[in-house]
Amino acid sequence: MRLKTNYLGTVYQFSSLKDLFAKANEEKSGDRLAGIGAETVQERIAAKEVLSQLTLSNIRENPLLPPEKDEVSKIIESQVKEPVYQSIKNWSVAELREFILNDEVTGEDLKRLSLGLNSEMIAAVTKIMSNLDLVHAANKVEIITKCNIAIGQKGTLASRLQPNHPTDNVEGIIASLKEGLSYGVGDAVIGINPVDDSVESVKRLLHATHDFIQDWRIPTQNCVLAHVTTQMKAIEQGAPADMIFQSIAGTESANRSFGISATMLEEARDMARTLGTGTGPQCLYFETGQGSELSAEAHFGIDQMTLESRNYGFARYYDPYIVNTVVGFIGPEYLYNNKQVIRAGLEDHFMGKMHGIPMGVDICYTNHIKADQNDIEDLSVLLTAAGVNFVIATPMGDDCMLNYQSLSYHDVATLRQTLNKGASPLFAEWLEKMGIFENGKLSKVAGDPTIFSR
């Protein structure tokens, strides 16, 4: 396995595959913080050239984190379909990129191909793709999943309605919920991040959202994004949860820092299928984000983008309803500015689609990062063009509980109208019945939450 090259008269030697992966990554402040990123643009270009010539078998046979030492690696490895892998193992990473971008290769072709790829192979090809490559390739892939309703169809843009409240006040949450629905937001999930992670609080919020959904016959799903064990206890006590949520990471050690394990998630999946109120077959919701393994001191010297790809390989095992990366949420320690946030969002979405999972993005930033609302609007256009399954929206784009900036309810409507996207089919039918939509567009009463008080 060749790990060096001569570029413009300078020899670049990389100490290991892990070192090569890190230095071939686009610049990320998190990789710099970990001390593993490329020192110069020239070194990054040299690393990309070396990586592009490696074969897929080189990558599989030299795991960055061996399966015998990490349960995430073990799960990822267990999913590789040998007949598919054997047919492509001698491809170089560059040849994999050319195949993905070939006009004659369809989304179904890519889904079949993905069965023979592990997460590190997908990360490798992502590193040598441009932003436009990532948009074009991801847009080929249609991933449809169903909980109470199906989302992910070509030509649609679903959304999570996030009516968070700084004191978990039900009246305030329902007021925000009404406003979001009046803009046509909420087909992916009505999902609340609770302040109080107690079982009683989670039960109260699940009952409140479930009752509202039932009263207005809304074709959607509810979820309260507490710790998985808290949700399971609430469900055991009769709380109506359509799906179970959990944040996940790309290493076993990082997952332990979240208080979870692979076995725990299997138990959650089984409980959601048997005791949850979602009709399924998919019933889990995962969130990820570049940098979480570094913040947990559980990255093992692996770059944050590759670790994010491993998140998706781990998630794929559980057949989730939705997965989203919260890009830009952790802060400038991991994604320093608008350029890094935009790149990470496009990387994450493409890698998720290449894993065959239903990929969404919380397009967001914190107020101490070098980015602003225009930057996340730019990313929202790129991701909508790339066929993102869903985005997340908050009142006025300002989450008053988590204290970060995201898309607003009316941004979702604007994206759909500008890029000719619809809501998910059953949800769109309900919006027409409610008069919020007229012929697929917002009506004159749209944005008026009092329609739910009549």
Side-chain angles (χ1 to χ4, degrees):
M1 184 169 62
R2 183 177 70 93
L3 294 179
K4 71 176 182 179
T5 190
N6 186 318
Y7 178 64
L8 297 179
T10 299
V11 175
Y12 293 90
Q13 174 73 57
F14 303 98
S15 61
S16 64
L17 193 59
K18 189 183 297 184
D19 180 48
L20 177 67
F21 264 60
K23 289 181 168 56
N25 198 17
E26 289 296 299
E27 184 175 8
K28 305 283 174 59
S29 54
D31 293 337
R32 284 195 170 274
L33 180 65
I36 59 175
E39 292 295 325
T40 64
V41 173
Q42 290 83 358
E43 185 179 30
R44 180 173 297 109
I45 293 171
K48 288 177 184 288
E49 190 275 328
V50 173
L51 180 62
S52 71
Q53 298 307 312
L54 295 184
T55 64
L56 301 184
S57 62
N58 289 151
I59 294 171
R60 190 182 186 194
E61 292 166 7
N62 296 275
L64 305 187
L65 188 55
E68 59 271 18
K69 296 182 179 180
D70 182 272
E71 69 177 9
V72 173
S73 296
K74 185 176 181 180
I75 285 173
I76 292 169
E77 174 63 21
S78 71
Q79 296 176 85
V80 176
K81 302 298 183 185
E82 287 299 328
V84 181
Y85 169 72
Q86 291 297 327
S87 69
I88 60 174
K89 68 177 184 179
N90 293 323
W91 288 9
S92 68
V93 175
E95 288 171 329
L96 175 59
R97 174 185 175 273
E98 290 303 311
F99 181 85
I100 290 169
L101 295 175
N102 190 316
D103 283 344
E104 296 180 1
V105 173
T106 67
E108 292 302 309
D109 294 331
L110 294 183
K111 285 194 281 188
R112 284 190 292 271
L113 172 74
S114 73
L115 299 176
L117 301 174
N118 68 18
S119 299
E120 282 81 1
M121 297 174 199
I122 292 171
V125 75
T126 305
K127 293 173 189 292
I128 65 168
M129 295 175 76
S130 72
N131 285 6
L132 186 56
D133 289 343
L134 298 174
V135 171
H136 176 69
N139 188 50
K140 292 184 177 186
V141 183
E142 179 186 60
I143 308 292
I144 299 174
T145 51
K146 180 182 177 294
C147 185
N148 289 332
I149 67 169
I151 66 169
Q153 299 88 346
K154 277 282 189 181
T156 65
L157 173 63
S159 53
R160 170 184 160 191
L161 200 166
Q162 185 168 296
N164 293 344
H165 192 277
T167 64
D168 288 343
N169 179 273
V170 168
E171 185 177 350
I173 287 171
I174 295 300
S176 179
L177 171 56
K178 290 177 179 178
E179 182 187 18
L181 289 168
S182 74
Y183 278 107
V185 173
D187 40 355
V189 63
I190 294 171
I192 301 167
N193 298 91
V195 177
D196 181 355
D197 194 49
S198 69
V199 174
E200 288 304 314
S201 176
V202 170
K203 285 166 59 179
R204 180 169 54 89
L205 298 181
L206 284 170
H207 278 290
T209 52
H210 177 79
D211 291 347
F212 190 89
I213 290 169
Q214 293 298 307
D215 289 345
W216 290 94
R217 298 182 180 179
I218 307 169
T220 187
Q221 298 73 215
N222 77 332
C223 187
V224 174
L225 285 69
H227 191 270
V228 60
T229 54
T230 306
Q231 295 168 80
M232 291 169 74
K233 289 175 183 176
I235 292 170
E236 286 175 338
Q237 295 177 24
D242 292 326
M243 69 179 84
I244 292 179
F245 162 86
Q246 182 54 46
S247 293
I248 60 172
T251 69
E252 180 181 353
S253 295
N255 279 328
R256 281 203 302 267
S257 76
F258 290 163
I260 64 169
S261 66
T263 300
M264 184 183 295
L265 294 180
E266 289 179 6
E267 292 172 358
R269 180 189 59 196
D270 294 343
M271 177 178 286
R273 287 174 174 173
T274 56
L275 298 180
T277 47
T279 57
Q282 285 83 28
C283 53
L284 292 181
Y285 174 11
F286 293 132
E287 275 192 348
T288 70
Q290 289 194 28
S292 59
E293 297 84 5
L294 179 58
S295 64
E297 297 183 352
H299 61 97
F300 298 94
I302 303 170
D303 69 275
Q304 63 186 46
M305 190 266 268
T306 300
L307 289 168
E308 184 67 12
S309 185
R310 287 168 54 87
N311 271 286
Y312 308 141
F314 185 56
R316 174 168 60 180
Y317 176 74
Y318 299 94
D319 188 25
Y321 176 60
I322 48 177
V323 179
N324 75 262
T325 172
V326 191
V327 65
F329 178 73
I330 301 180
E333 302 91 337
Y334 307 103
L335 297 171
Y336 182 71
N337 57 19
N338 55 346
K339 183 175 182 179
Q340 293 185 19
V341 169
I342 288 171
R343 174 68 188 189
L346 296 177
E347 289 171 344
D348 294 356
H349 176 248
F350 168 76
M351 292 189 297
K353 285 289 188 71
M354 282 301 296
H355 279 87
I357 61 174
M359 198 65 202
V361 180
D362 188 356
I363 307 167
C364 62
Y365 67 100
T366 53
N367 288 310
H368 61 311
I369 200 171
K370 289 185 177 294
D372 59 27
Q373 205 70 21
N374 284 331
D375 297 316
I376 66 167
E377 288 180 8
D378 290 346
L379 179 54
S380 72
V381 171
L382 289 168
L383 285 167
T384 303
V388 67
N389 275 40
F390 72 102
V391 294
I392 293 179
T394 62
M396 299 298 293
D398 182 11
D399 192 299
C400 60
M401 192 280 278
L402 292 172
N403 195 29
Y404 78 116
Q405 316 307 124
S406 187
L407 295 178
S408 71
Y409 296 148
H410 59 272
D411 288 335
V412 175
T414 304
L415 288 167
R416 285 172 175 163
Q417 184 173 336
T418 303
L419 293 165
N420 196 30
K421 302 282 187 177
S424 300
L426 287 178
F427 192 69
E429 289 178 17
W430 177 81
L431 292 170
E432 295 279 351
K433 290 177 183 177
M434 289 293 297
I436 297 168
F437 271 14
E438 288 182 359
N439 299 317
K441 306 292 183 184
L442 291 182
S443 70
K444 291 181 179 179
V445 304
D448 180 4
T450 65
I451 62 176
F452 295 101
S453 303
R454 297 169 185 170

